[in-house]
Structure formats: C-alpha cells, structure tokens
Amino acid sequence: KKMKNEKLRNSFLRFWPFLFIFILWFIFASPYFLKGLVPYASTYQVNFFPPWSSYEKFWGPVKNNAMPDIHGQIYPWKKFTIDTFFRGEIPLWNPYSFAGNPHLANYQSAVLSLFNLLFFAFPFIDAWSLLVLFQPLLAGLFMYLFVREIGVGKVGSLISSVSFMFSGFMVVWMAYATLSYAILYLPLAFFAVERYYRTSSLKYLLLLTSTVFLSFFSGHFQISLYFLIALICYILFGAFIKRSIRSTIFLLASVVVGLIIAVPQFVSSIMLHNYSVRSELFQLGEAIPFQYLVTVIAPDFFGNPVTRNDWFGHYAEWSSFIGIWPLFLAIYAIVRLKSWRVILFSILGIGSVVVAVNSPLSELLASLKLPVLSTSAFSRIIVLFSFSFAVLAGFGFDQLIREIRGMRDIRRIRDFLVFFAVIGVFFVSVWILLLFGKLYPAEWLIVAKRNFVLPTVLIVGGIVAIFIAVKSKKFTIFTIGYLLLVISFDSLRFAQKWMPFDPKELVFPEVSVISAIKKNIGEGRIFGNIGGEVTTYYNFPSIEGYDPLYIGRYGEFIRSASSGKFLNAERSVVKLDRRGKYTNRVLDLLGVSLIFHPVADTNQGWAFPVWEDKNRFYLIYQEKKFQLFRNNLSLPRASLFYDYEIIAGKEEIIERFYSKSFDFRETIILEEKPNISLVKGNGKADIVMYSPNKIMISVDTTAPALLFLADNYYPGWKAKVNGIGSKIYRADYS
C-alpha cells in the first residue's frame, strides 16, 4: 500500500501541470460542457443579420458583435466543406457566391484541415464547438512541452503555457478556428527541433514535418508564414549554437517535406491569389499606432467591443495582451539573463512589435510589395511577440525565484529593487497622466482609468508577495502559488470576457422566408440584401459575395454595371449597384430568378426597386417581413448561342457588353475565335446535375451552337461534349 501511494504521489508530481492546464481550460470551456451553450455568437447572428434580425422573437442581449466574418464566411464555408465531403466530393469550387468561386484555393476555407474529421464524428454544431475549444488546450499543452524541454521549471512552464493559450491573439481569433490553429503548432515544432538535436530520433523529424503541413492546412497563410519564418530562424540559430550541420540539414529537410505535403493547398491558393483583386492591393494595413501598445498591460485601456465602450483602434487586429505578470517576467528575463534562447526570443518578440507598429519600417515593407505580407494586416505578426514573450516569461519566473532564494548579495538586492522601482514609476506616471492630464476627452478617460485599475492591483499585489518572500524565504511557496493563480486569473478573465457562449438553438434557426426560398430557388440564383450566412450556408446560388480572395475580373464586370464604363473591382466585396444603369442586364445574364425583398425596404431610395417593374418581377411569396419576387426575364443558367463577337481589350468588352445596341440575349462576346462555324438555329439546354465539381447539361439543338454557362470563368475546369474533350472559352468578360 505504501509503494502504491508513493507511485501515485510521483505520478501526480509528474503530471499535475497537465492537470492544471486541463482544469483551467475546462473552466473556460464549461459553458459548453455544463450549460449546453456553444462558442458561436448566435445572439449576434439573429440580431444583426437578415432575415433573422427582422423577427422580434430573436431580439435579446448580444455579448460580442465584433465577429461578422464568422457568420458570413467561416462558419458557412465549413458547412459547405463538410456537406461536400459527405457527398463524396472534394470541395474545390463554391457555386453559391460570386456566381461561382474557388473554394479549396480560398485558403481560409481550411478544406484540408485534419480537424475536419471532428465533423464526421459529432453533430455539426458540436464538432464546431470542439474545433474552437481545442485551440487553447492544444496551445497550452504544446507550449508546456516545449518550455519544459528547454529547461524551464514546472511552474515557469505553466506560466508560459497559460500566457500563450489565453494570449490576446489566441483569444480574439479563437472563434474563427483558423488563425490560432495556424500558430499553435509552433511550440510543438520547436519541441521537435530540440528533441531531435538531443536524440537524433527519426520520430521527431516526422513530428516536425507534421507541424509544418498541419499549420499550412489550418486556414490562414499569413500566420503560417510567420510560423515558418520563426521555425527556420530557430533551427538556424540552434545550428549556430550547437554546431551540428548534419542535424540542421535533416531538420530543414523535414520542414521542406512538410511544405511539399502542403503543395495542393499552395498551388491552388497561389493561382487564385494571382487572379484576385488582393494580389494588386499593396498597402500599409492595420499597423498598430504606437500609443496602442499600452494595451499589452491593460487590454481594455481603449475600451472593449464586448462592453460597447471601445473608442479607438481595432481590438481584434491589435491585441497583444499576454498577461500583466508574464509581460514583466519576460522583461525580467531579458534584463537578468544572457542565454542564447533568451536572446533569440527577445529578438523575435521585439522585432515583431517593431514590424507591427505604424513606423517607417512597416511603411518600407509595404512599399516592397511583398506577396501576402504587403497585402494583409501588418499587425498580425504580433502573434510572434505573444509567443516569444510567453516563453521568456517562464525563464523570467525561474530567474526571479532563484534570486529570491539566493538573495544575500547587497548588489543583487539593489538590482532587484531597481527593476521593480522602474515598474512602480511607470504605473505612477500613467496614473498621473490619467488623473491630471488631458490626453483624451473625459468620457474616454473614464474608460481608461477604470480598465487600468485591475492591472495596477495585480502588479502591486505581486510585488508585495515577492518582497514578502525576499524578507522571509519560507513564504516563497506562497509567492509562487500566488503568482501562478494571479496569472491564471488574469488570462482566464480576459478570455471569458471576449469569447461568446450562446444558445445552440439560435445557430441558424429556420424561419419561414428561408423555407420559401428553398421551395422557389430552383436552378436559378437569388439577389437581395443577404450574405453568405444565408446563400452559402443554405446552398442558395448568389451573384454577390464577401471574401479577400475572389476572381478580380468578375468584380470589374459587376461594378461596371452601375454606369456601363469600366470600373476597378473592390478589395473584398462584390455588390451589384441596386440602382445601376445595367443592373437588370446582369441579373438576367446570370440567371437571377429570385429577388429577396424586405417589406420595409419598399420605396426606399437605397433599395433595389423590385416594386417598380411589375411586368418583369411578380410576387410569389409574401409574409409580414419579407417578399420574394420572380424575375420573368432572366436567362437560364445554361443556354445556347448562335452568334458571337470577338473583342480582346478589357475596357472595350465592358463598354460593348453594357451598350444599348448590344443584344446580350442573342450574342455573346468572346476574346478568341471559337473552333466552330455557326448558323442560325434554335434549341435548349437543361442542367441535369449540378454539384460543386461536376455539371451535366443536356442539349437539344437544330444547328451547331455555343453552350453558355453563367458561372465564373476559371482555369481548371474541363469540358466534354458527348464524351469528347472540348475547349472552354471565357465569355462576356468574366
């Protein structure tokens, strides 16, 4: 019995940090496991997005309304991905937005993510919940493994773990289930590097390879690129220190193998990027203003979208919080330690801040027009600061405790006092500015002062606990426990405040107008003030869309309909001008047979005037809030043409298509001469089968014809006529 108890005690001492991480994570995730709530802002969805927002029965308190992309993009994309997999197809193409758009190539769709397997084992909303909630748990476990491997003690490793798993970046992007996954493999990759340098075991090379392709399959290329840069720097830095050329070559080769495995994602995404508007938009986006860095200490200094009192900045894009004490412990490590790892993580962390803030350096990088980096939010590189300083926090804690236990030297005590005196001076200075300065209007200062109280209390309490331990070494255990609990409380409070847990029954609830659309959509498309949260989720084909990556030529075609003159596409959205000169022409060509119309929009100058032309549009469904109209004049999605014109220039095509003399119902515009001789004929084309990757059309014609499909042109499709390959031509510009 005594041996058994000793064995249990040893097991507990070995594994208690993992238990601590799990308990902390379970507290965070408890609304899902204990209350049946889901980590999805469903109250936001039904209160802010049509058609649900028009039904008063859904009105109620909304916790966080700062995540629109999850509802309009990420969640519907995931639903489409899984539904397509269940049909036995790989979701290469999304026919429900932009009149068709690449899906796997979209990158943020995360089609190849390993965690998509969850959706084959659980109901969709539960799989989604686990997908979201696993992120902090995995980040914490991986960080603990790595920091322990490089010699940090158990408590110090826990501090690093908690700091990273609930860091600002991980928390604000957690609900997306993409960006955080792209970076959470970084500590596991570093762990594999360390273990391989130490053991030369093949399994750690395989682990390293896995982290690379898992990151690049996670759904955010920019963050995975930061992952790759940090990983290569770590391997090369380790090579310089350890002087093991052979090991370094094998490690770099493993990284390359991981990248090769991710090639299917790379190739398709690079191709779409080159065809998209995003590839041409180089700008300094979302760089962090220098004064906003105070939020690394007080994350809500400028308010919080959750409490509706934010008044400056982009909370999600600029979040750099890692916890007040981990921050100062990291700084303590930088000041007091001179190991190569401390130097490396200091450079990595501070360097990422320098790039993230609005400065001449970030402006220079933007001007270099680097693919991805110069077309995305600069601030997101702050994730490397969060990771690096979380690692440094563990080193700083160990050094602090060592110095407390060995505090006999007068000089050490003096240096110790100077460090904490500087912290004290900083906080006093900020409070003087808040209380007596006139930095901001009074109502903003109230927010800043209120949200600077907790960081002050936590830092003062920690300093008191540290000096108690300095005065009496027997209180060191108390100080260790106090700091661990304070850090856990601070991080958990931050995460719980931001992350919504909402009722499961409000996630895409069925309403009468959606049922009516399902009944009437047929093979046509829908047009109206609804987004991907309706069209993609319910498989309603749409001509509009919102996405960083869409076919740029299509955006030009749609936007030019407002006047008939060539206009450049917009950055991330395709929206047809409701009052455009040639709006009806676009609706007809693209087979828009159904118009979604909120009754309250009738006779409003900014709405699509479906009520003005009763010969074109007739009412087929009506309820108190919404109407559905049938477009009598829309062409079928597939149709036959017996005449064409050849025009090569972009602007010339646009001007011809949108000219009054052009009969788009009888003639199509091509950019090269087709290998066919046409004569006048008649016939019809019927869509027999339409799936994301395969379309079957039955054709009956009296003469040779051109079969026109009103879907976006994009390379990669293959056509066969009676089983024989046939060339695909781009028609009517897009």
Side-chain angles (χ1 to χ4, degrees):
K1 185 177 181 181
K2 185 176 180 181
M3 289 179 63
K4 186 177 180 180
N5 289 339
E6 186 67 23
K7 188 175 181 180
L8 288 172
R9 179 176 176 275
N10 291 336
S11 296
F12 176 77
L13 291 175
R14 183 181 178 184
F15 293 107
W16 77 265
F18 296 100
L19 181 62
F20 185 93
I21 292 170
F22 180 81
I23 291 173
L24 193 65
W25 170 79
F26 188 83
I27 293 171
F28 169 73
S30 61
Y32 170 71
F33 291 107
L34 302 181
K35 298 180 181 179
L37 302 176
V38 293
Y40 175 86
S42 62
T43 55
Y44 174 43
Q45 176 187 331
V46 297
N47 279 278
F48 281 76
F49 293 86
W52 304 282
S53 57
S54 295
Y55 293 89
E56 295 183 12
K57 66 179 180 178
F58 293 128
W59 289 358
V62 176
K63 178 175 181 178
N64 191 328
N65 63 348
M67 306 178 183
D69 291 357
I70 297 171
H71 304 81
Q73 296 178 316
I74 306 299
Y75 194 90
W77 287 344
K78 186 64 71 177
K79 179 70 161 50
F80 170 72
T81 295
I82 302 306
D83 287 349
T84 307
F85 274 135
F86 270 117
R87 287 195 295 267
E89 291 185 74
I90 298 173
L92 303 176
W93 185 260
N94 177 2
Y96 305 116
S97 59
F98 302 111
N101 201 57
H103 185 67
L104 182 147
N106 179 345
Y107 212 99
Q108 292 192 82
S109 58
V111 167
L112 301 178
S113 170
L114 178 67
F115 286 89
N116 285 337
L117 294 173
L118 289 170
F119 295 88
F120 292 85
F122 300 96
F124 190 89
I125 185 58
D126 294 300
W128 173 266
S129 299
L130 294 173
L131 179 73
V132 170
L133 294 175
F134 280 165
Q135 292 169 104
L137 178 62
L138 293 175
L141 293 174
F142 294 163
M143 177 63 96
Y144 182 83
L145 288 173
F146 166 60
V147 182
R148 278 294 286 159
E149 181 64 25
I150 58 177
V152 177
K154 290 181 179 179
V155 177
S157 298
L158 269 180
I159 289 172
S160 295
S161 175
V162 171
S163 175
F164 182 57
M165 68 190 286
F166 291 128
S167 63
F169 185 92
M170 296 293 295
V171 168
V172 298
W173 296 113
M174 189 188 305
Y176 289 71
T178 52
L179 291 87
S180 296
Y181 271 111
I183 200 65
L184 66 79
Y185 296 106
L186 187 58
L188 186 62
F190 283 17
F191 169 79
V193 170
E194 287 291 335
R195 277 290 176 96
Y196 184 74
Y197 269 130
R198 186 159 64 85
T199 67
S200 298
S201 174
L202 176 62
K203 63 183 178 182
Y204 295 113
L205 291 179
L206 296 175
L207 178 60
L208 179 60
T209 296
S210 300
T211 63
V212 174
F213 70 75
L214 287 173
S215 174
F216 279 95
F217 285 159
S218 292
H220 205 277
F221 184 78
Q222 181 188 11
I223 304 304
S224 293
L225 191 59
Y226 297 149
F227 162 94
L228 181 64
I229 292 170
L231 178 57
I232 292 175
C233 287
Y234 193 76
I235 292 173
L236 295 178
F237 213 102
F240 177 75
I241 298 299
K242 300 177 186 296
R243 303 195 182 279
S244 177
I245 296 176
R246 180 179 179 276
S247 295
T248 302
I249 291 173
F250 278 113
L251 288 168
L252 292 175
S254 297
V255 173
V256 171
V257 171
L259 294 173
I260 291 172
I261 294 174
V263 159
Q265 183 70 74
F266 291 152
V267 171
S268 59
S269 296
I270 290 170
M271 184 176 178
L272 177 57
H273 184 268
N274 292 336
Y275 273 83
S276 72
V277 180
R278 178 61 67 92
S279 65
E280 302 172 359
L281 297 177
F282 298 99
Q283 61 183 28
L284 181 59
E286 298 290 359
I288 304 173
F290 185 78
Q291 68 268 31
Y292 201 83
L293 291 179
V294 70
T295 57
V296 76
I297 294 171
D300 295 346
F301 189 87
F302 297 105
N304 190 312
V306 172
T307 48
R308 313 295 193 274
N309 62 359
D310 55 315
W311 53 269
F312 173 66
H314 193 157
Y315 194 92
E317 292 286 4
W318 297 352
S319 185
S320 56
F321 182 70
I322 61 167
I324 180 69
W325 269 106
L327 173 66
F328 286 113
L329 289 172
I331 295 173
Y332 195 77
I334 295 171
V335 172
R336 306 293 290 169
L337 290 170
K338 295 296 182 284
S339 74
W340 72 269
R341 289 192 180 90
V342 171
I343 294 171
L344 172 61
F345 287 113
S346 300
I347 294 172
L348 194 61
I350 296 171
S352 66
V353 173
V354 171
V355 173
V357 297
N358 198 339
S359 67
L361 176 60
S362 55
E363 291 176 2
L364 173 63
L365 291 173
S367 69
L368 294 176
K369 297 185 177 182
L370 301 171
V372 181
L373 297 180
S374 297
T375 58
S376 303
F378 268 69
S379 58
R380 291 176 189 164
I381 199 172
I382 203 71
V383 66
L384 295 183
F385 161 80
S386 300
F387 171 74
S388 300
F389 270 57
V391 173
L392 290 171
F395 282 106
F397 176 82
D398 280 7
Q399 180 65 15
L400 176 67
I401 298 305
R402 278 195 298 269
E403 292 189 0
I404 288 174
R405 286 172 171 163
M407 195 68 71
R408 294 183 182 86
D409 187 283
I410 298 291
R411 185 170 162 230
R412 277 192 175 183
I413 296 175
R414 184 188 65 201
D415 294 342
F416 193 76
L417 291 172
V418 167
F419 178 81
F420 288 103
V422 170
I423 294 177
V425 169
F426 170 79
F427 273 84
V428 169
S429 300
V430 174
W431 274 112
I432 289 174
L433 289 173
L434 290 175
L435 295 172
F436 305 108
K438 295 183 179 180
L439 297 173
Y440 309 111
E443 64 272 20
W444 295 351
L445 281 172
I446 291 172
V447 175
K449 284 186 283 191
R450 183 167 61 240
N451 289 315
F452 205 69
V453 170
L454 182 60
T456 304
V457 170
L458 294 180
I459 206 70
V460 169
I463 291 174
V464 170
I466 288 169
F467 278 97
I468 288 174
V470 170
K471 187 173 179 63
S472 178
K473 301 298 184 291
K474 65 182 179 181
F475 286 102
T476 303
I477 297 298
F478 162 79
T479 299
I480 292 172
Y482 176 84
L483 287 176
L484 180 58
L485 291 177
V486 162
I487 290 167
S488 300
F489 162 78
D490 194 21
S491 295
L492 188 60
R493 176 203 62 84
F494 170 73
Q496 288 178 322
K497 182 175 183 177
W498 176 263
M499 190 66 190
F501 284 88
D502 282 350
K504 185 183 295 188
E505 61 271 16
L506 295 184
V507 179
F508 289 89
E510 191 84 0
V511 291
S512 54
V513 71
I514 290 178
S515 300
I517 295 172
K518 289 179 179 179
K519 183 178 178 181
N520 291 283
I521 190 69
E523 295 292 340
R525 290 191 169 101
I526 189 169
F527 175 67
N529 291 328
I530 49 176
E533 63 281 351
V534 173
T535 58
T536 299
Y537 185 86
Y538 291 105
N539 298 347
F540 300 152
S542 170
I543 64 171
E544 298 185 318
Y546 168 60
D547 184 12
L549 291 176
Y550 73 88
I551 301 167
R553 200 168 173 114
Y554 180 69
E556 294 163 355
F557 173 76
I558 295 293
R559 194 159 183 240
S560 299
S562 61
S563 64
K565 302 297 182 182
F566 179 85
L567 290 174
N568 290 319
E570 295 184 79
R571 178 180 174 87
S572 297
V573 65
V574 168
K575 192 173 181 66
L576 183 62
D577 187 346
R578 269 50 180 163
R579 299 276 178 161
K581 187 176 180 179
Y582 295 99
T583 294
N584 285 339
R585 181 171 294 196
V586 170
L587 296 180
D588 294 347
L589 179 77
L590 297 183
V592 175
S593 59
L594 198 62
I595 309 298
F596 171 85
H597 177 67
V599 175
D601 287 358
T602 304
N603 296 321
Q604 299 298 321
W606 41 263
F608 178 64
V610 66
W611 59 88
E612 291 183 355
D613 190 345
K614 294 184 179 179
N615 291 323
R616 170 183 283 274
F617 304 111
Y618 70 93
L619 185 67
I620 59 172
Y621 171 82
Q622 181 166 0
E623 59 172 71
K624 184 179 179 181
K625 300 290 184 181
F626 300 102
Q627 295 172 322
L628 296 177
F629 290 84
R630 179 72 66 198
N631 179 11
N632 282 325
L633 301 181
S634 68
L635 293 172
R637 292 270 294 281
S639 52
L640 297 178
F641 282 82
Y642 299 89
D643 193 15
Y644 63 86
E645 294 181 13
I646 305 294
I647 306 176
K650 291 178 66 174
E651 295 189 17
E652 289 80 2
I653 298 174
I654 289 292
E655 290 191 9
R656 177 59 177 153
F657 179 83
Y658 289 121
S659 64
K660 291 182 179 179
S661 62
F662 181 68
D663 187 355
F664 70 96
R665 297 179 183 276
E666 296 294 330
T667 305
I668 57 174
I669 299 174
L670 302 178
E671 295 162 59
E672 56 180 306
K673 185 175 176 60
N675 186 24
I676 187 173
S677 298
L678 296 182
V679 295
K680 192 65 178 176
N682 59 72
K684 65 175 183 175
D686 296 316
I687 295 177
V688 176
M689 187 198 79
Y690 194 108
S691 73
N693 297 343
K694 188 174 182 179
I695 305 164
M696 293 179 64
I697 301 170
S698 174
V699 171
D700 185 11
T701 178
T702 61
L706 290 167
L707 172 62
F708 175 81
L709 183 64
D711 284 21
N712 247 328
Y713 175 87
Y714 192 74
W717 286 94
K718 299 182 186 301
K720 291 183 179 181
V721 178
N722 296 330
I724 301 173
S726 181
K727 182 177 173 62
I728 299 175
Y729 297 87
R730 181 165 59 196
D732 290 344
Y733 193 80
S734 184

